[in-house]
Amino acid sequence: MSSDRYHQHFTVSWDQLHRDVRTLCHQMIERDFKGIVAITRGGLIPAALIARELNIRLIDTVCIKSYDHMDQGGLDIMKGVDHDGEGWLLVDDLVDTGKTARAVRKMLPKAHFVTIYAKPDGRPLVDQYLTEVAQQCWIQFPWDMGIAYVEPLVDQMKR
């Protein structure tokens, strides 16, 4: 699957990500989890924020690669876990096509799977999400961006 399928972009700032994670945590505040399993790399930062907000100290990872920037390829499972997920919170930043989510669901069928952002193709695979995003939308996460100078409009128009 190539980057040609993305016709929209949605930029998430650090502040927005933190607000979204806190909102998701409010929905889980009454739950008691043994620990968190973060799906790397995208799930690492949301998992850290969730761990802080829900006061969870035990964090593990499932390491899977399916993207090379905007191009999705095959799944490369580099690290799994040795339990079925019972009592655990499984965290990712986004569920997109569902390819990664299906693989992780097989590994951890009893985990409570949450993601901050969900696209229609992957949405049925998670137990909980905060924001739905169009399937053809590429999400720009804050860890993939840098701060850069933007020329004032008046100067841009002079060229």
Side-chain angles (χ1 to χ4, degrees):
M1 197 165 296
S2 83
S3 58
D4 295 341
R5 70 183 175 120
Y6 300 110
H7 305 289
Q8 301 170 7
H9 288 271
F10 173 47
T11 301
V12 179
S13 68
W14 285 111
D15 288 340
Q16 184 65 53
L17 179 74
H18 200 192
R19 280 192 303 272
D20 289 347
V21 168
R22 286 179 60 93
T23 300
L24 186 63
C25 286
H26 276 287
Q27 298 171 12
M28 296 185 290
I29 199 79
E30 300 298 320
R31 306 240 359 206
D32 188 30
F33 296 104
K34 292 178 186 176
I36 293 174
V37 176
I39 300 173
T40 67
R41 287 179 314 196
L44 287 171
I45 291 171
L49 296 170
I50 290 169
R52 190 248 182 215
E53 297 300 335
L54 299 182
N55 199 26
I56 298 171
R57 304 276 177 174
L58 184 58
I59 302 174
D60 200 352
T61 58
V62 169
C63 305
I64 298 178
K65 180 183 177 189
S66 63
Y67 277 89
D68 186 11
H69 184 53
M70 293 172 78
D71 295 320
Q72 189 176 33
L75 284 180
D76 180 11
I77 300 173
M78 297 166 276
K79 178 188 173 291
V81 292
D82 62 356
H83 55 81
D84 64 5
E86 175 120 26
W88 286 75
L89 180 61
L90 178 60
V91 177
D92 206 355
D93 57 346
L94 162 72
V95 62
D96 190 336
T97 63
K99 197 175 193 181
T100 300
R102 274 186 206 83
V104 175
R105 273 285 192 207
K106 282 184 183 177
M107 276 187 239
L108 298 160
K110 295 183 179 180
H112 184 75
F113 192 174
V114 300
T115 186
I116 314 306
Y117 307 102
K119 294 185 180 182
D121 288 354
R123 186 184 61 231
L125 298 165
V126 297
D127 297 308
Q128 208 170 339
Y129 67 93
L130 185 67
T131 302
E132 186 170 336
V133 179
Q135 196 68 46
Q136 68 276 11
C137 184
W138 180 259
I139 300 178
Q140 295 284 349
F141 286 102
W143 51 84
D144 288 330
M145 297 181 297
I147 297 174
Y149 173 77
V150 176
E151 187 177 28
L153 287 175
V154 69
D155 294 339
Q156 292 175 29
M157 300 306 291
K158 289 179 184 176
R159 285 190 267 138

